[in-house]
Amino acid sequence: MARITGAKCRICRRLGTKLFLKGTRCDTPKCPIEKENRPPGVHGAKRIRLTEYGIHMREVQRAKKMYGVMQRQFRRYYDEAIAKPGNTGDYLVQILERRLDNVVYRLRMGASRSQARQLILHGHIRVNGKKVSIPSYQVDAGDVIEPSKKESRKIVKESLLLKKDQEIPSWLKLAEEQATGQVVTLPTAQELQVPVESQLIVEYMSR
């Protein structure tokens, strides 16, 4: 599990994409990508022409930083995706989207993926009535995600209020009053609206 200890906004600026690493700040005009979309540092304004290898590698970095996974785990996800028939890139993104920390974030139960991961690690989330403390847990169609106790419900409801403008994907369903979410179906290629080019990732990983 990748824990970002440095300045998160610098990562978004370096990779040129809003990765939603700072929770509600990313939805405001204070977001550095909105204010000044250029790489950080004194020489950030200089035009840098990426090589073909650099373009592919940047796409991998975007995916890893956005979902908070390390290289070893990312490689395991890729090996799992390539073993399946069909589009490897779509399968890879689907695996990343099915992570429990991502689903909690997508349901607005966490203001960011890092907060969602913390909620899971601290035992605040249940899946189908059982407490799950593994952020990388792969959800399945029909799974019900809910707070595990009264304190957890309070934290989740605060996040639901903070992220009320965040759109919930069509493959998920939220009962806001009960602060309970459900995985209606596994996401299809059309529903995977993420700011990464999965085909570039596949080309890089297959080298």
Side-chain angles (χ1 to χ4, degrees):
M1 181 181 65
R3 183 181 172 210
I4 301 171
T5 57
K8 296 178 181 178
C9 293
R10 288 177 65 88
I11 295 172
C12 295
R13 288 176 62 194
R14 174 61 61 193
L15 298 177
T17 305
K18 188 183 288 192
L19 301 176
F20 300 95
L21 303 175
K22 290 279 284 184
T24 53
R25 182 185 173 88
C26 299
D27 302 320
T28 68
K30 291 182 179 180
C31 175
I33 287 285
E34 301 287 351
K35 291 165 64 178
E36 195 173 17
N37 188 7
R38 67 177 181 84
V42 177
H43 305 291
K46 288 186 177 180
R47 186 176 179 182
I48 301 173
R49 182 174 295 177
L50 290 174
T51 62
E52 184 181 344
Y53 177 83
I55 292 169
H56 285 71
M57 185 174 69
R58 184 174 64 180
E59 219 54 42
V60 174
Q61 289 173 335
R62 281 174 178 167
K64 285 161 60 177
K65 292 295 183 183
M66 186 168 72
Y67 290 100
V69 297
M70 300 290 280
Q71 176 62 27
R72 191 173 177 181
Q73 190 175 34
F74 196 79
R75 167 59 69 174
R76 189 165 67 246
Y77 287 154
Y78 172 76
D79 291 341
E80 185 180 337
I82 204 171
K84 295 183 178 181
N87 190 302
T88 301
D90 290 343
Y91 275 122
L92 177 60
V93 177
Q94 186 189 78
I95 291 169
L96 291 167
E97 283 287 304
R98 286 176 58 194
R99 284 174 56 97
L100 181 58
D101 56 358
N102 178 73
V103 172
V104 170
Y105 165 71
R106 293 290 191 196
L107 286 167
R108 304 194 345 244
M109 293 180 172
S112 63
R113 286 183 180 85
S114 58
Q115 188 192 29
R117 189 176 298 121
Q118 189 177 45
L119 286 172
I120 296 163
L121 287 170
H122 289 188
H124 289 293
I125 299 296
R126 287 187 306 196
V127 179
N128 299 328
K130 294 182 179 180
K131 190 183 292 184
V132 177
S133 58
I134 303 171
S136 61
Y137 176 88
Q138 291 280 294
V139 301
D140 215 336
D143 284 354
V144 176
I145 294 97
E146 60 186 349
S148 61
K149 46 194 174 184
K150 186 177 179 181
E151 180 190 349
S152 311
R153 192 172 299 276
K154 182 182 176 183
I155 297 170
V156 167
K157 288 205 168 186
E158 286 175 358
S159 179
L160 289 173
L161 188 61
L162 283 172
K163 302 289 288 185
K164 61 183 178 181
D165 296 327
Q166 178 180 306
E167 185 179 354
I168 294 175
S170 56
W171 54 282
L172 298 173
K173 184 172 70 174
L174 173 70
E176 195 159 345
E177 286 298 318
Q178 292 78 27
T180 301
Q182 183 178 17
V183 182
V184 180
T185 182
L186 296 184
T188 62
Q190 292 74 27
E191 293 170 314
L192 295 171
Q193 300 295 325
V194 294
V196 294
E197 291 287 340
S198 59
Q199 188 55 39
L200 293 179
I201 296 174
V202 173
E203 290 171 9
Y204 177 89
M205 298 296 288
S206 61
R207 289 173 183 267

